Amino acid sequence: QSALTQPPSASGSPGQSVTISCTGTSSDVGGYKYVSWYQHHPGKAPKLIIYEVNKRPSGVPDRFSGSKSGNTASLTVSGLQAEDEADYYCSSHAVTINAYVIFGGGTKLTVL
Amino acid sequence: QLQLQESGPGLVKPSETLSLTCTVSGGSISSSDHHWAWIRQPPGKGLEWIGSMHYTGATYYKPSLKSRVAISVDPSKNQFSLRLSAVTAADTAVYYCTRDRTSTNIDWGQGTLVTVSS
């Protein structure tokens, strides 16, 4: 069960849009709708920002959006703001012999 | 609002067992809709899911950790616990407890650092 594949880094200027990919297999991302994204500022608890591929919890700005195609999920942050600078992790429900949850390696988003 | 708080020793010796407890407030651990999970982050690395449990007793563990992990729930105290045996330096991490619904970690504790060292 290797981690889902994310680019280690991404960047954009304020106001721009950035998309972060998360690639898995048919046993995880490609096989289920339970893909989530988390924003993690160092020293704080991670925060859920997208669940079930493209749903936003209450209070999360609509600048954050999610999608999935095949075995790859994506997080798009539109209208970048300074406070969006953080680490972003995807996760997915996964099943091989048993069910479990698998995370991506994380992407450091830098707002230039 | 649901809150989770991790507690336990910050230092564990190699080969011993790491034990942490998560106290849940503002909600019941006996919710049929939720699982209770543990996730960790080693220094400088990414998040790693360890396992989860439903209050009825159903457990799910990361396959590579399954032989060393046990998660239990105590509804009478509204707490759940993690035990990780035969620890090594590679188990040094910030450990988070979370509330999980359909493999989505909705609420998180603040995390607690556990260092494995003699």
Side-chain angles (χ1 to χ4, degrees), chain A residues 23-45:
Chain A
T23 301
T25 69
S26 58
S27 295
D28 39 67
V29 174
Y32 305 95
K33 68 177 183 177
Y34 301 115
V35 176
S36 307
W37 289 89
Y38 302 87
Q39 179 189 62
H40 190 198
H41 289 106
K44 291 192 169 184

Side-chain angles (χ1 to χ4, degrees), chain A residues 11-103:
Chain A
S11 62
S13 299
Q16 288 186 333
S17 293
V18 170
T19 297
I20 298 170
S21 62
C22 169
T23 301
T25 69
S26 58
S27 295
D28 39 67
V29 174
Y32 305 95
K33 68 177 183 177
Y34 301 115
V35 176
S36 307
W37 289 89
Y38 302 87
Q39 179 189 62
H40 190 198
H41 289 106
K44 291 192 169 184
K47 175 186 175 184
L48 175 68
I49 56 172
I50 296 289
Y51 68 101
E52 292 183 13
V53 176
N54 57 14
K55 297 179 181 178
R56 276 179 289 106
S58 174
V60 173
D62 60 7
R63 303 186 294 103
F64 295 91
S65 61
S67 63
K68 188 181 85 165
S69 177
N71 295 338
T72 298
S74 298
L75 171 72
T76 297
V77 186
S78 305
L80 270 175
Q81 299 182 3
E83 60 262 36
D84 297 334
E85 184 161 299
D87 296 319
Y88 290 83
Y89 294 90
C90 63
S91 78
S92 174
H93 180 79
V95 178
T96 49
I97 298 175
N98 298 307
Y100 59 99
V101 173
I102 188 168
F103 275 92

Side-chain angles (χ1 to χ4, degrees), chain B residues 4-118:
Chain B
L4 304 104
Q5 180 66 59
E6 306 88 351
S7 59
L11 181 65
V12 181
K13 289 183 169 57
S15 80
E16 296 190 343
T17 296
L18 178 159
S19 295
L20 294 174
T21 295
C22 182
T23 300
V24 179
S25 58
S28 173
I29 205 166
S30 300
S31 164
S32 60
D33 292 336
H34 298 98
H35 286 69
W36 305 93
W38 289 94
I39 291 165
R40 68 182 181 180
Q41 182 176 35
K45 296 188 177 181
L47 299 173
E48 179 184 25
W49 184 84
I50 298 169
S52 68
M53 183 171 191
H54 192 261
Y55 84 98
T56 55
T59 53
Y60 305 87
Y61 298 129
K62 180 175 182 176
S64 60
L65 295 174
K66 189 174 182 179
S67 64
R68 298 196 293 130
V69 175
I71 296 175
S72 59
V73 172
D74 187 343
S76 68
K77 295 181 179 179
N78 227 34
Q79 293 177 335
F80 63 106
S81 298
L82 169 71
R83 287 174 60 85
L84 181 65
S85 63
V87 297
T88 69
D91 295 309
T92 293
V94 174
Y95 285 77
Y96 296 97
C97 60
T98 78
R99 180 172 67 160
D100 168 307
R101 179 172 180 171
T102 57
S103 299
T104 300
N105 294 281
I106 305 165
D107 302 291
W108 296 64
Q110 284 301 305
T112 187
L113 174 63
V114 179
T115 301
V116 178
S117 175
S118 56

